[in-house]
Amino acid sequence: MSAATTRSRTPDRLCAEAVDLARSAAEEAAAPGVVGEHAGLVSEGDRVVTHFFECKELGYRGWRWAVTVARASRAKFVTLDEVVLLPGPDALLAPEWVPWSERLRPGDMGPGDLLPTDAEDLRLEPGWSGEDEPAPNAPVSEEMAELVEAEDAEVTAGAPANLPMAPSRGSITSVAEELGMRRARVLSRYGLHVAADRWEESYGAKTPMAQAAPASCVTCGFLSPIGGSLGQAFGVCANEFSPADGRIVSLTYGCGGHSEAAVMPKPPRPAPPVIDETRVDPFPLRPSPDSGSVSVGADGDSAELGHS
């Protein structure tokens, strides 16, 4: 360890004794009555010491006023460097800053708010892919064909009348049961209109959110269509940040979370500066005689001193 390092860790005697100077500087920078007791000092280098004072300001628990003083070489007077409020080891600190896109929660959007959607948002995908291959679970796919060939059919000998349960075919009830339509009653025309009016009033074109929206739900990528006759006018919102998430919305409804409302562009990068070191621009030391208001024929004294 060098001698310079040893000296820097040992507080200077005059700087360490300048507690009153440091306190007066802290009280001048802070509000009256918020500077507490002296909380120690630390050596910052050769003849540089920082004094700490407790902070009594409400909301700044554990913070300290740090006053740095210094002394020049061979000088007998201590001077003030800076005064700053710093957090201590047990200080009450604000939480770590989180970007707004991560702070936003479902239901935070209001009328007129816009939620920019990134161009590479994982929740969205193109409406067409160009692939003509059937889905893996489609009846015409190769995977399903292989499964059909691998299945072993169990054949029961005897006539259908000898089976434990005879199959029922030809009746409307049995066909409806195979199609999954086991409801005895369905909505009437009146019931459909009442539901449509109720949904239109809650999430329709006349709501404040829809009036301030940049576009309607019919062009939004988060709209999930529904079947039946109501699918011609309504759909289901699938945007978790929209106030209508999971709700039946009208196709004329809209909010600031529209998928095409505002795609965030990448910030432009400025071009690097170009420095031309091969060219010299001459600058005259004296102005041209005919460049100003001084006449060309002026005498030498007036030419040197100008005119008034």
Side-chain angles (χ1 to χ4, degrees), residues 85-125:
L85 183 62
L86 297 177
D90 301 327
L92 180 64
L93 301 177
E96 185 178 1
W97 184 82
V98 180
W100 70 268
S101 57
E102 299 180 13
R103 297 196 307 267
L104 193 64
R105 292 294 178 266
D108 290 347
M109 293 185 57
D113 294 341
L114 293 180
L115 176 62
T117 304
D118 191 82
E120 303 296 332
D121 198 326
L122 298 178
R123 299 173 298 170
L124 302 173
E125 64 179 3

Side-chain angles (χ1 to χ4, degrees), residues 93-178:
L93 301 177
E96 185 178 1
W97 184 82
V98 180
W100 70 268
S101 57
E102 299 180 13
R103 297 196 307 267
L104 193 64
R105 292 294 178 266
D108 290 347
M109 293 185 57
D113 294 341
L114 293 180
L115 176 62
T117 304
D118 191 82
E120 303 296 332
D121 198 326
L122 298 178
R123 299 173 298 170
L124 302 173
E125 64 179 3
W128 59 89
S129 60
E131 298 179 0
D132 297 330
E133 298 181 2
N137 58 346
V140 294
S141 63
E142 297 181 0
E143 291 81 358
M144 294 299 294
E146 294 176 359
L147 291 177
V148 171
E149 294 179 358
E151 287 291 337
D152 296 331
E154 297 181 359
V155 180
T156 303
N162 298 329
L163 297 178
M165 181 179 296
S168 57
R169 297 183 180 277
S171 63
I172 298 178
T173 306
S174 61
V175 175
E177 186 174 356
E178 290 183 4

Side-chain angles (χ1 to χ4, degrees), residues 61-85:
R61 186 185 66 190
W63 289 63
R64 302 177 301 179
W65 288 99
V67 182
T68 303
V69 295
R71 182 176 64 88
S73 178
R74 299 181 181 180
K76 298 181 180 180
F77 300 95
V78 178
T79 58
L80 177 67
D81 280 359
E82 64 177 0
V83 180
V84 65
L85 183 62

